[in-house]
Amino acid sequence: MDDNNVEEIAEGFVPIVRAEGDITLRESGAMAVVAGGNVSMSESGSGMFIAGGDATLSEAGAGNMLIGGNVSIDNGAMGNLVAGGEVSVVQSRVGVLLTPSAKLENSEVILGTQQAVALGVVAGLMMFLLSRLFRRR
């Protein structure tokens, strides 16, 4: 679906939702959601989720999320979440969370910002050392 102002997608599935404005999904699913503005999801799911503004999720889930603004998640689940603003997570689970500020309430985050950065540094160092060790002369 390609439209400049998608108001709401209710009780259905669409492969790709793209809008310059805001997007609202209610009891719906999408493989990819790309919005220039804010996104709201209620009882919905998406594989990939990109928004330039804020995101509000209630009983919703997404595989990978890249959000320019603030994020509010209530009773949801995310694989990877990168947000430019504050993230509020209530009774939810997040795999990897990269954000300047996070508030968690009865929630679980597997890798927070500091742990993800540390893992990246260690993995990079190991790759460097292994490449030196197995380098052909």
Side-chain angles (χ1 to χ4, degrees):
M1 183 170 211
D2 187 359
D3 196 7
N4 286 338
N5 290 314
V6 175
E7 293 297 326
E8 183 173 331
I9 296 173
E11 301 177 9
F13 176 81
V14 290
I16 298 173
V17 181
R18 184 177 65 179
E20 292 179 16
D22 299 344
I23 295 176
T24 299
L25 295 175
R26 186 177 51 82
E27 296 179 11
S28 300
M31 291 180 1
V33 175
V34 180
N38 301 327
V39 175
S40 175
M41 288 176 58
S42 175
E43 299 178 16
S44 300
S46 173
M48 182 180 74
F49 193 95
I50 301 172
D54 297 338
T56 304
L57 289 85
S58 176
E59 297 182 12
N64 299 302
M65 294 179 63
L66 178 59
I67 308 298
N70 299 324
V71 179
S72 174
I73 303 168
D74 185 10
N75 200 20
M78 309 300 124
N80 303 307
L81 171 57
V82 178
E86 183 176 292
V87 174
S88 173
V89 183
V90 178
Q91 296 181 350
S92 302
R93 299 182 92 174
V94 179
V96 178
L97 176 62
L98 298 174
T99 182
S101 175
K103 293 180 183 178
L104 305 175
E105 182 181 320
N106 296 329
S107 298
E108 180 181 0
V109 174
I110 296 173
L111 288 179
T113 302
Q114 293 175 340
Q115 294 89 355
V117 169
L119 178 64
V121 169
V122 169
L125 180 60
M126 291 302 295
M127 295 299 288
F128 172 76
L129 292 174
L130 287 173
S131 70
R132 290 290 187 188
L133 181 64
F134 293 110
R135 193 166 122 182
R136 294 183 181 183
R137 295 180 189 229

